[in-house]
Amino acid sequence: MTVLLLAGIVFTLILLTKQRDIASVGIVRNITHKLKSRSLSTNYWQTGIMLFAANTALFALAFVILFFLPYGAIAGLMMCIPLSLFTWVIFSEVWRGSRKDKVKMAFVGNSFFLFFLGWIFWYYATLEPAYPGDDLFMAWIGVIIASIFTIGAMSVSMFVMLRK
């Protein structure tokens, strides 16, 4: 599992260094060209809500892959990380408004991760042992790992969205 985590981190770093190249790919240019003429490109509430929905859908896809497919962690790393970066680059490229509104849009869209982080902490705070003497140490480790992944995903998303 550690090897998969390190591979995912390295893969993410490689994709982050190539995000300018991703933004110039033909399919990204075609999608952004079609979306720039809509109010989606200047209204930070609409774009933020769409980004929130995209983050929710990406999380649901990752959840389904991880828990319902054999070798889901490997497939998740190979598919969900580039798909997330691709989606965030598209939202970043579509934006035509001011920098201040782009920051607002990014915060509205990435509030999904804050809600998820709140749910993680609420779940752990209300967790009860299954039987007397049950140790909740492994649940605590799960909370720490989920928090790290959530904060990491939110940080990468903000970095991609707010780049110049």
Side-chain angles (χ1 to χ4, degrees):
M1 195 65 170
T2 305
V3 173
L4 289 176
L5 177 63
L6 291 174
I9 290 170
V10 169
F11 191 54
T12 302
L13 290 174
I14 290 170
L15 287 174
L16 280 175
T17 59
K18 301 291 184 188
Q19 67 177 320
R20 297 251 187 244
D21 297 335
I22 293 172
S24 65
V25 172
I27 190 167
V28 174
R29 285 189 309 199
N30 288 342
I31 292 171
T32 57
H33 179 69
K34 289 178 183 176
L35 292 176
K36 277 187 180 182
S37 62
R38 312 248 164 122
S39 66
L40 184 70
S41 63
T42 56
N43 186 339
Y44 69 89
W45 277 109
Q46 285 181 348
T47 310
I49 290 170
M50 289 296 294
L51 179 61
F52 186 92
N55 284 333
T56 305
L58 290 167
F59 176 78
L61 177 68
F63 183 80
V64 167
I65 287 173
L66 185 64
F67 290 109
F68 296 114
L69 293 178
Y71 304 104
I74 296 170
L77 285 176
M78 299 313 257
M79 211 170 79
C80 290
I81 292 172
L83 189 59
S84 297
L85 289 172
F86 180 75
T87 303
W88 296 331
V89 165
I90 287 176
F91 275 97
S92 178
E93 292 295 317
V94 163
W95 187 255
R96 289 187 307 157
S98 68
R99 176 93 172 144
K100 185 174 92 172
D101 285 344
K102 187 174 186 178
V103 171
K104 291 177 188 177
M105 178 263 301
F107 276 112
V108 168
N110 289 322
S111 63
F112 167 78
F113 296 114
L114 294 176
F115 290 138
F116 185 64
L117 197 60
W119 179 82
I120 290 169
F121 289 131
W122 174 80
Y123 178 78
Y124 182 69
T126 60
L127 187 64
E128 294 182 5
Y131 53 87
D134 186 16
D135 187 17
L136 297 178
F137 179 72
M138 291 305 288
W140 179 77
I141 290 176
V143 165
I144 297 300
I145 291 172
S147 300
I148 289 170
F149 278 112
T150 303
I151 291 169
M154 185 173 62
S155 301
V156 169
S157 176
M158 293 298 273
F159 177 76
V160 170
M161 295 295 297
L162 299 178
R163 69 180 169 80
K164 292 190 177 200

